[in-house]
Amino acid sequence: MPAPTPWTAEAEAALKEVPFFVRPAVRRRVEAMAAEAGLEQVDGAFYAEARARFGQK
């Protein structure tokens, strides 16, 4: 299992807006997207982009 991707404080704060029961799945999905994009950490801008790709606002 790969090490978890670090998140910036801004991205962590945005993730807390997601209901707690789906948060782990959202975190895994965003981290997978970040890995595919070659990013070493998830920041607020990438998180917003990932949410837009999920079709959420």
Side-chain angles (χ1 to χ4, degrees):
M1 178 188 244
T5 304
W7 287 54
T8 64
E10 177 186 13
E12 285 282 0
L15 181 64
K16 289 192 187 309
E17 296 174 10
V18 174
F20 74 92
F21 53 89
V22 293
R23 226 175 271 158
V26 171
R27 179 183 289 274
R28 284 191 301 271
R29 175 66 193 226
V30 171
E31 287 180 358
M33 292 169 74
E36 289 172 14
L39 299 177
E40 293 184 9
Q41 80 173 5
V42 175
D43 62 14
F46 183 78
Y47 179 77
E49 180 184 321
R51 282 194 58 147
R53 286 159 103 193
F54 292 157
Q56 301 172 353
K57 293 187 179 187

